[in-house]
Amino acid sequence: MIVAAALLLALASFCFMVRVVIGPSLADRIIALDGLVVTAVAAIVVNSIWRRTDLFLDVALVVAFIGFVGTTAGARFIERRGG
Amino acid sequence: MVDVLVGVLVIAGSMLILLAGIGVLRFADLYARMHAATKAPTVGIALVCIAGAIAIDGGTDKILLAAAIIFVTAPSAAHFVGRAAYRAEGIDIHLDGPDDLRELMEDDEDAASND
Amino acid sequence: MTRVVRVVLLTAIWILLWSDPSIANLLSGLVLAVVVVAWFDRRRQGNVIIRPIAAVKFAGYFLYQLIASTLVVARTVITPRDRINTAIVAVPLSGCSDALVTLIADAISLTPGTLTLEVRREPLTLYVHALDVRDINGLRHVVRTLEVLAVTAFGDDDALEGLVVDDTTVWRGR
């Protein structure tokens, strides 16, 4: 079941990546990247469950923080330069 | 028993995140994509994190903190991007219904040009 | 009182980050929290009060809306065309502090097919993007319910009074 969940997350990140590539606007790419970050955090937690370890949880925490900061920075960029 | 519960939670959460991905890929305009990208994954990550909190020894606090961070920041991030995208030129925003914000923005522009 | 709550919350997050509730962590967390709260306290306006029963009601309604929202958006993803009818709707709020407006705006962003785009003071109005806007009154009702619950849970006395005075008559009727 854990493997199936990892597969679903891989499919999800594929969808987000396609949206990052095709755009069309910068805002589309930013929200897709934000979704990719959430998927990454989910993948780290799923990996931790699979391996029964708490080693990677700090990474999940930091990625969650950085994702928010990155999205906000992107939004500021759009506001100044246009999408 | 616990394993089954964890499995079901993880699958449900991943399914929601996948639905968000499909929505982001399929929806026709920016704001519809943002609806897909902000709500479903937030609940999805919450489910995955609850499963993690049950399954992983010693990591419960950090996992719940990560879930709380995403829960608090996701709507704010969506608000930032949405607000910036409305102001930016060159982004095609398609609306079927009324647009109450357009009037306000035009008022702002008038005020700015009168100064 | 508000400051004490903030210091306790920040210290709790600090200890969670270290995931080791030792005396040293507790003390360093307390010192940092006091410094941060003292530093940022200068900009604060309005008092945050917590009424436990009303707070539980707000949390319950919010969770219900969150789950409903997820199901609605999930259903929309599977069958897109017939359920998308987007618009930006202005929703007036009665007067409340910045912290409360933030809470309400965040809650709206997580409820079914709605996303806060812009906040204006004077008159206090939220501009909400809705995914399916065929039921504008239903949308306003959800926002209004969230607002009433949030103010009765966390608002100070001024905000509560504003809530009684305010009605849909403030709405300019576009």
Side-chain angles (χ1 to χ4, degrees):
Chain A
M1 273 172 117
I2 301 294
V3 177
L7 209 65
L8 291 176
L9 288 175
L11 274 173
S13 58
F14 178 74
C15 292
F16 284 124
M17 274 189 233
V18 170
R19 182 49 79 187
V20 170
V21 171
I22 64 178
S25 70
L26 190 55
D28 288 302
R29 297 198 167 94
I30 288 173
I31 57 161
L33 279 172
D34 192 45
L36 211 50
V37 167
V38 174
T39 316
V41 174
I44 292 169
V45 175
V46 167
N47 188 31
S48 301
I49 296 174
W50 192 27
R51 292 173 196 276
R52 304 253 163 211
T53 167
D54 61 345
L55 269 179
F56 309 119
L57 295 182
D58 292 303
V59 183
L61 210 57
V62 172
V63 169
F65 259 124
I66 302 276
F68 173 64
V69 175
T71 309
T72 312
R76 299 299 291 180
F77 184 81
I78 298 176
E79 207 156 319
R80 288 199 187 152
R81 302 275 175 87
Chain B
M1 187 59 213
V2 174
D3 279 357
V4 173
L5 179 67
V6 167
V8 168
L9 283 173
V10 166
I11 294 274
S14 307
M15 201 68 211
L16 281 173
I17 295 176
L18 176 59
L19 276 175
I22 295 172
V24 166
L25 200 55
R26 251 184 105 176
F27 282 168
D29 80 317
L30 173 67
Y31 284 131
R33 281 177 213 139
M34 285 181 64
H35 283 293
T38 47
K39 289 176 213 26
T42 315
V43 180
I45 197 92
L47 291 180
V48 171
C49 284
I50 291 170
I54 297 171
I56 303 169
D57 300 330
T60 311
D61 41 4
K62 270 181 209 156
I63 283 192
L64 292 183
L65 195 59
I69 289 167
I70 289 187
F71 232 79
V72 173
T73 57
S76 311
H79 167 70
F80 285 140
V81 177
R83 188 186 127 99
Y86 195 91
R87 281 140 195 271
E89 287 166 14
I91 294 184
D92 179 34
I93 297 168
H94 172 75
L95 292 173
D96 303 309
D99 184 356
D100 291 340
L101 193 52
R102 173 65 61 204
E103 208 174 300
L104 183 84
M105 292 306 218
E106 279 162 7
D107 287 352
D108 282 2
E109 277 168 26
D110 291 347
S113 59
N114 285 339
D115 286 341
Chain C
M1 191 56 210
T2 317
R3 292 179 208 195
V4 175
V5 172
R6 284 179 192 195
V7 168
V8 169
L9 265 177
L10 284 175
T11 313
I13 291 174
W14 178 260
I15 292 172
L16 281 181
L17 279 170
W18 282 102
S19 66
D20 172 25
S22 69
I23 304 280
N25 281 338
L26 183 69
L27 286 180
S28 56
L30 265 178
V31 169
L32 262 175
V34 167
V35 168
V36 168
V37 168
W39 184 261
F40 285 101
D41 212 30
R42 297 173 299 178
R43 299 189 187 178
R44 166 173 89 84
Q45 49 127 235
N47 244 327
V48 175
I49 300 158
I50 299 175
R51 300 187 185 80
I53 299 169
V56 169
K57 266 189 199 163
F58 173 76
Y61 185 75
F62 172 70
L63 273 183
Y64 162 70
Q65 286 292 342
L66 183 63
I67 292 166
S69 133
T70 308
L71 293 181
V72 167
V73 172
R75 202 179 56 183
T76 312
V77 168
I78 298 166
T79 56
R81 259 304 107 202
D82 52 324
R83 289 186 208 281
I84 294 187
N85 192 346
T86 54
I88 297 178
V89 183
V91 185
L93 295 184
S94 57
C96 35
S97 66
D98 284 357
L100 267 178
V101 175
T102 312
L103 180 70
I104 295 167
D106 268 14
I108 287 168
S109 289
L110 286 171
T111 50
T114 54
L115 189 67
T116 317
L117 285 186
E118 181 77 272
V119 184
R120 277 301 155 103
R121 290 209 158 268
E122 290 158 21
L124 191 57
T125 311
L126 293 180
Y127 291 85
V128 178
H129 182 272
L131 196 58
D132 180 2
V133 84
R134 275 164 295 184
D135 184 16
I136 291 191
N137 286 327
L139 176 71
R140 291 216 177 98
H141 177 73
V142 170
V143 174
R144 178 82 187 148
T145 313
L146 269 174
E147 182 201 1
V148 170
L149 285 172
V151 170
T152 45
F154 305 110
D156 55 12
D157 292 342
D158 288 351
L160 270 179
E161 272 174 38
L163 200 65
V164 179
V165 174
D166 169 76
D167 207 338
T168 42
T169 46
V170 178
W171 173 242
R172 282 175 288 173
R174 276 188 195 146

